[in-house]
Amino acid sequence: MKRALSLIILLAACQAEEPPVQLGGMSSVEEMACLGQGGTVGIGGLAGVAHCVMPMADAGQACTTGTSCDGGLCLASAAGGQCVPRSPFFGCHEVVEDGVVVTLCLD
Protein backbone atom coordinates (compact mmCIF):
# COMPACT_ATOMS: atom_id res chain seq x y z
CA MET A 1 0.00 0.00 0.00
CA LYS A 2 2.86 2.41 0.88
CA ARG A 3 4.53 1.59 -2.41
CA ALA A 4 1.36 2.38 -4.40
CA LEU A 5 0.89 5.67 -2.54
CA SER A 6 4.54 6.61 -3.16
CA LEU A 7 4.11 5.84 -6.85
CA ILE A 8 0.97 8.02 -7.07
CA ILE A 9 2.74 10.92 -5.36
CA LEU A 10 5.75 10.53 -7.64
CA LEU A 11 3.59 10.48 -10.77
CA ALA A 12 1.63 13.53 -9.61
CA ALA A 13 4.90 15.44 -9.14
CA CYS A 14 5.92 14.63 -12.73
CA GLN A 15 2.85 16.26 -14.30
CA ALA A 16 3.73 19.10 -16.64
CA GLU A 17 2.53 22.56 -15.66
CA GLU A 18 -0.40 23.67 -17.80
CA PRO A 19 0.27 26.56 -20.17
CA PRO A 20 -1.56 29.86 -19.50
CA VAL A 21 -5.14 29.84 -20.75
CA GLN A 22 -5.62 31.82 -23.97
CA LEU A 23 -8.62 34.16 -24.27
CA GLY A 24 -8.85 34.70 -28.01
CA GLY A 25 -5.28 35.94 -28.37
CA MET A 26 -4.67 37.05 -24.77
CA SER A 27 -3.11 34.78 -22.18
CA SER A 28 -4.34 34.68 -18.59
CA VAL A 29 -1.04 36.31 -17.56
CA GLU A 30 -1.65 39.19 -20.01
CA GLU A 31 -5.23 39.50 -18.77
CA MET A 32 -4.09 39.78 -15.15
CA ALA A 33 -1.47 42.39 -16.12
CA CYS A 34 -4.13 44.40 -17.95
CA LEU A 35 -6.51 44.33 -15.00
CA GLY A 36 -3.66 45.23 -12.65
CA GLN A 37 -2.98 48.38 -14.67
CA GLY A 38 -6.61 49.52 -14.47
CA GLY A 39 -7.72 48.16 -17.85
CA THR A 40 -10.51 45.81 -18.82
CA VAL A 41 -10.51 42.94 -21.29
CA GLY A 42 -12.53 43.60 -24.43
CA ILE A 43 -13.21 41.79 -27.67
CA GLY A 44 -12.84 43.89 -30.80
CA GLY A 45 -11.43 44.50 -34.21
CA LEU A 46 -12.29 42.54 -37.34
CA ALA A 47 -10.59 39.44 -35.91
CA GLY A 48 -12.71 39.65 -32.75
CA VAL A 49 -9.81 38.89 -30.41
CA ALA A 50 -9.32 39.86 -26.78
CA HIS A 51 -7.25 42.93 -26.02
CA CYS A 52 -6.54 45.21 -23.08
CA VAL A 53 -8.76 48.31 -23.05
CA MET A 54 -7.19 51.18 -21.14
CA PRO A 55 -9.08 54.32 -20.11
CA MET A 56 -7.48 57.55 -21.30
CA ALA A 57 -6.57 60.19 -18.69
CA ASP A 58 -7.72 62.97 -21.04
CA ALA A 59 -10.99 61.30 -22.13
CA GLY A 60 -13.54 63.89 -23.23
CA GLN A 61 -11.03 66.76 -23.08
CA ALA A 62 -11.42 69.39 -25.82
CA CYS A 63 -9.02 69.00 -28.75
CA THR A 64 -8.41 70.16 -32.32
CA THR A 65 -6.06 67.39 -33.45
CA GLY A 66 -5.10 63.86 -32.42
CA THR A 67 -1.62 64.86 -31.30
CA SER A 68 -3.16 66.79 -28.41
CA CYS A 69 -4.72 63.55 -27.03
CA ASP A 70 -3.04 60.68 -25.15
CA GLY A 71 -4.91 58.16 -27.31
CA GLY A 72 -3.88 59.94 -30.51
CA LEU A 73 -7.45 60.54 -31.65
CA CYS A 74 -9.63 63.65 -31.43
CA LEU A 75 -13.25 62.61 -32.01
CA ALA A 76 -15.56 65.04 -33.80
CA SER A 77 -18.73 65.83 -31.85
CA ALA A 78 -21.49 68.44 -31.84
CA ALA A 79 -19.54 70.34 -29.17
CA GLY A 80 -16.25 70.22 -31.13
CA GLY A 81 -13.40 67.75 -30.78
CA GLN A 82 -13.01 65.47 -27.75
CA CYS A 83 -10.19 63.06 -26.89
CA VAL A 84 -11.08 59.34 -27.13
CA PRO A 85 -12.27 57.67 -23.91
CA ARG A 86 -10.20 54.49 -24.26
CA SER A 87 -7.50 52.75 -26.24
CA PRO A 88 -7.63 50.85 -28.51
CA PHE A 89 -10.59 52.50 -30.22
CA PHE A 90 -11.86 50.23 -33.03
CA GLY A 91 -14.36 51.09 -35.76
CA CYS A 92 -15.04 53.99 -38.10
CA HIS A 93 -15.21 57.42 -36.49
CA GLU A 94 -15.31 61.07 -37.45
CA VAL A 95 -12.08 62.57 -36.12
CA VAL A 96 -10.62 66.07 -36.13
CA GLU A 97 -7.15 66.56 -37.61
CA ASP A 98 -5.86 70.13 -37.65
CA GLY A 99 -9.39 71.51 -37.55
CA VAL A 100 -10.64 69.29 -40.41
CA VAL A 101 -13.14 66.46 -39.83
CA VAL A 102 -12.24 63.18 -41.57
CA THR A 103 -13.52 59.61 -41.30
CA LEU A 104 -11.01 57.15 -39.89
CA CYS A 105 -11.55 53.37 -39.67
CA LEU A 106 -9.42 51.40 -37.21
CA ASP A 107 -9.03 47.66 -36.76
Side-chain angles (χ1 to χ4, degrees):
M1 179 71 163
K2 285 184 180 181
R3 185 176 242 185
L5 183 57
S6 295
L7 183 58
I8 291 171
I9 293 171
L10 182 62
L11 288 174
C14 292
Q15 294 294 321
E17 192 173 307
E18 290 186 32
V21 176
Q22 292 287 120
L23 177 64
M26 179 179 273
S27 72
S28 56
V29 172
E30 291 169 321
E31 179 181 356
M32 293 305 293
C34 174
L35 297 175
Q37 295 173 17
T40 58
V41 176
I43 306 295
L46 291 177
V49 297
H51 56 276
C52 184
V53 180
M54 295 299 292
M56 298 283 86
D58 61 355
Q61 179 178 322
C63 57
T64 57
T65 187
T67 57
S68 59
C69 298
D70 289 341
L73 292 175
C74 179
L75 298 175
S77 70
Q82 294 183 338
C83 295
V84 292
R86 65 189 175 281
S87 180
F89 202 70
F90 296 118
C92 293
H93 306 279
E94 298 290 313
V95 298
V96 182
E97 279 300 321
D98 297 321
V100 178
V101 176
V102 297
T103 301
L104 179 65
C105 294
L106 304 166
D107 175 40

